[in-house]
Amino acid sequence: MNQERKIRVLIAKPGLDSHDRGAKIVARALRDAGMEVIYTGLRQTPEQIVETALQEDVDVIGLSILSGAHTTLFPRIMELIKEKGLNDVLVFAGGIIPEEDVPEMKKIGIKEIFGPGTPTETLVKYVKENVKKKI
Amino acid sequence: MSYEELARMVLKGDRRSIARAITLIENNHPKTQQMMSQLYRHGGNAHIIGVTGPGGCGKSTLVGKLVKEFRHKNKTVGVIAVDPSSPFTGGAFLGDRIRMQELSADEGVFIRSMATRNNLGGLARATKDAVCVLDASGKDVIIVETVGAGQSEVDIIKVAHTILVVLAPGLGDEIQAIKAGIMEIGDIFVVNKADRENADRAVIDIRTMLEMNSGKQEWKPVVVKTIAIEGKGVSQLVEKIEEHRKYLEKGAFASKRREQVETEFFEVLRQKIEESFLNDLKKKREFDKILEKILAREVDPYTAAENVIAKKLKNNKD
Ligand SMILES: Nc1nc2c(ncn2[C@@H]2O[C@H](COP(=O)(O)OP(=O)(O)O)[C@@H](O)[C@H]2O)c(=O)[nH]1
Ligand SMILES: [Mg+2]
């Protein structure tokens, strides 16, 4: 039998956003690019997101947020990721994140931020080129 | 981390190591077998529950509620939720956790989503190994969810001690279920979405069907109504599950286990024998020579196969 690796991605929605169209479009695009995408629905706490990433042993976490709560939620998520030792997981974010917040988000370890309307091909390419395959 | 270290951490119940171990299994990593041989002897304690039925009937919602009920009883729970990979892209959308998210911060619960990876034969094997990892890690109850869609799904769910077949009223599920051969394997039948019309009708239909099938088996399959979204009927369902477990413990358990182990051992043995002979043949390029002889009708396939076996056995002795 052959060894078979797959990129596993968690698409998570922290905060109180009331819809997840964007997140689902991203999830579908990554799936169509051959990845295994775990989707967990709306209103996830940082603890739930990081614990899910751990149990599912994902290579990538995509955070989607519209509500503006990123300045509190993202640092907490990154803190938990470090606490649980998920150091080689690639974290990117999408949704509505003001330009002036981007440097801070990158400083805490979010590798890339995609604004609304980013073509899904860009995202797929980014993930494929930046993921660290663990095994 | 070495596989021995990984196995040791799994036995301690370390969550990250459990997750890692399942990834090794899914990827069919060369070290999987050695890791599993360390874990295997520590398994065998969990009650394994299979949950199958058509897509959309409420399996994941129900599994979430079952886990909560078992947690109330202070049992630790592992869940493996299997979903299909796309045959075209190999990707998968794994959404079962949406219905179980309130559980993900509970340390007594471990949930893992697995994609079929278009390898249904291998998947039964991988699911068994993943169950074994959770078992060795000390989980009291392990629930395996899979879409009941055909023979291979039936193979997957056969790892379970107690099998729940979930249906919902009014979808013509019953007929689907018979086609997929899942009526025969159910120990407990669940009519979920009992808030909908025709739930009682579905219960009667299933009972009738079961009576027609009922042979001399000691356990008579039961039918339970649930409304998973509201958690209704779930504690009754857990009672039935425990009744089935008690029934198994009275004796049927031993024979069921024996049957499962026999099937498993033969599967693995067959695979190993095949690999060992074929690898040899291909390495030495003898394969082509033999095929040519058969093509030229110098030898028949049966004699050729016996010759290959005799030769290998002789070589092994020397
Ligand atoms: N009306 C009703 N809907 C339900 C019930 N249980 C689950 N659902 C809904 O059925 C849909 C599919 O549920 P899910 O658990 O994902 O089904 P699965 O595909 O079998 O795992 C979801 O929208 C659920 O909210 C129920 O008891 N009654
Ligand atoms: Mg499901």
Side-chain angles (χ1 to χ4, degrees):
Chain A
M1 273 192 282
N2 295 320
Q3 225 182 308
E4 191 187 5
R5 302 171 187 195
K6 286 274 176 202
I7 300 176
R8 286 172 67 87
V9 187
L10 170 63
I11 296 296
K13 275 200 73 67
L16 301 174
D17 300 346
S18 55
H19 79 76
D20 59 356
R21 277 190 292 278
K24 278 188 177 155
I25 290 171
V26 170
R28 229 165 282 143
L30 295 175
R31 176 201 60 188
D32 291 344
M35 301 177 205
E36 291 180 356
V37 184
I38 292 109
Y39 184 62
T40 51
L42 290 164
R43 301 205 177 103
Q44 301 294 301
T45 65
E47 286 74 15
Q48 285 174 325
I49 291 170
V50 179
E51 185 57 32
T52 298
L54 182 147
Q55 293 178 12
E56 297 287 354
D57 197 21
V58 295
D59 311 289
V60 184
I61 302 176
L63 299 169
S64 159
I65 199 156
L66 306 167
S67 61
H70 57 278
T71 47
T72 52
L73 294 174
F74 285 8
R76 178 71 186 134
I77 291 170
M78 296 313 296
E79 193 180 294
L80 287 167
I81 285 178
K82 292 204 181 79
E83 225 171 78
K84 304 217 179 192
L86 308 182
N87 299 317
D88 41 8
V89 176
L90 173 70
V91 185
F92 72 88
I96 299 169
I97 292 159
E99 197 64 44
E100 65 263 28
D101 292 343
V102 170
E104 179 58 24
M105 295 294 113
K106 289 207 168 165
K107 210 174 92 194
I108 60 171
I110 296 185
K111 285 278 160 19
E112 197 53 83
I113 291 170
F114 298 97
T118 306
T120 52
E121 300 83 56
T122 310
L123 256 166
V124 167
K125 188 159 173 278
Y126 173 79
V127 170
K128 282 191 172 162
E129 283 172 2
N130 290 278
V131 65
K132 292 196 193 111
K133 283 285 193 89
K134 283 170 292 198
I135 310 177
Chain B
M1 201 189 284
S2 71
Y3 69 89
E4 285 119 328
E5 180 66 12
L6 192 61
R8 217 169 9 251
M9 295 299 283
V10 167
L11 292 174
K12 281 190 187 154
D14 178 65
R15 311 159 71 67
R16 185 146 161 69
S17 303
I18 297 172
R20 255 313 147 70
I22 297 178
T23 303
L24 289 191
I25 292 165
E26 283 193 301
N27 290 350
N28 202 14
H29 188 275
K31 288 276 191 272
T32 309
Q33 193 186 324
Q34 284 153 299
M35 177 186 72
M36 290 315 296
S37 72
Q38 305 250 321
L39 295 175
Y40 191 80
R41 71 191 79 169
H42 298 279
N45 306 309
H47 183 191
I48 304 164
I49 301 167
V51 177
T52 188
C57 68
K59 294 180 297 297
S60 299
T61 313
L62 189 67
V63 169
K65 293 290 155 67
L66 282 173
V67 173
K68 267 178 109 180
E69 191 71 23
F70 281 118
R71 292 297 292 140
H72 281 312
K73 296 172 179 281
N74 277 324
K75 302 211 162 148
T76 54
V77 189
V79 176
I80 291 170
V82 182
D83 273 315
S85 300
S86 154
F88 305 108
T89 67
F93 183 88
L94 307 171
D96 293 315
R97 287 189 90 106
I98 298 172
R99 321 272 174 226
M100 307 179 196
Q101 263 323 79
E102 52 188 311
L103 305 166
S104 63
D106 178 348
E107 295 232 336
V109 181
F110 191 101
I111 304 171
R112 180 64 173 245
S113 315
M114 283 175 78
T116 54
R117 298 201 177 178
N118 304 323
N119 175 14
L120 285 166
L123 182 68
R125 170 89 257 129
T127 313
K128 250 179 230 159
D129 286 349
V131 165
C132 184
V133 167
L134 290 172
D135 189 353
S137 83
K139 295 283 175 286
D140 301 315
V141 177
I142 298 164
I143 305 178
V144 181
E145 174 189 335
T146 139
V147 179
Q151 186 53 48
S152 337
E153 304 286 14
V154 170
D155 287 344
I156 293 163
I157 215 72
K158 275 192 177 156
V159 58
H161 304 131
T162 302
I163 297 178
L164 314 191
V165 172
V166 186
L167 303 163
L171 295 175
D173 286 350
E174 299 77 20
I175 295 132
Q176 281 285 320
I178 299 166
K179 272 196 207 147
I182 57 179
M183 287 312 272
E184 289 82 18
I185 62 169
D187 299 303
I188 298 170
F189 289 81
V190 182
V191 175
N192 187 41
K193 305 199 185 186
D195 51 321
R196 293 210 177 153
E197 265 178 74
N198 296 328
D200 291 320
R201 181 77 240 161
V203 171
I204 293 167
D205 285 351
I206 295 169
R207 288 219 170 101
T208 313
M209 208 140 41
L210 289 174
E211 262 153 40
M212 290 193 308
N213 278 347
S214 81
K216 8 176 213 320
Q217 73 274 52
E218 292 165 54
W219 173 263
K220 296 269 178 262
V222 288
V223 188
V224 181
K225 270 197 297 186
T226 59
I227 305 175
I229 33 167
E230 296 168 20
K232 286 200 180 130
V234 176
S235 60
Q236 288 89 322
L237 177 55
V238 168
E239 267 169 40
K240 292 293 173 205
I241 291 172
E242 310 234 288
E243 251 174 57
H244 186 253
R245 184 190 164 87
K246 287 198 188 101
Y247 152 77
L248 288 175
E249 277 166 353
K250 268 188 282 168
F253 209 62
S255 56
K256 192 168 189 133
R257 272 302 294 154
R258 208 201 130 88
E259 211 179 285
Q260 284 172 341
V261 165
E262 188 176 313
T263 314
E264 185 174 4
F265 175 61
F266 275 130
E267 255 166 39
V268 175
L269 189 63
R270 202 170 290 137
Q271 187 195 326
K272 292 268 169 207
I273 293 173
E274 197 175 302
E275 273 171 14
S276 107
F277 277 89
L278 289 184
N279 286 349
D280 254 31
L281 270 186
K282 284 182 182 160
K283 237 188 289 166
K284 291 183 198 147
R285 296 177 202 286
E286 257 182 52
F287 200 57
D288 288 337
K289 273 192 231 154
I290 296 171
L291 286 193
E292 267 159 41
K293 275 190 186 161
I294 300 173
L295 268 174
R297 306 228 166 220
E298 285 169 29
V299 63
D300 65 283
Y302 295 95
T303 310
E306 276 170 5
N307 288 344
V308 168
I309 293 167
K311 195 167 162 196
K312 180 162 170 85
L313 291 180
K314 187 168 169 294
N315 285 348
N316 281 357
K317 241 185 263 166
D318 297 343

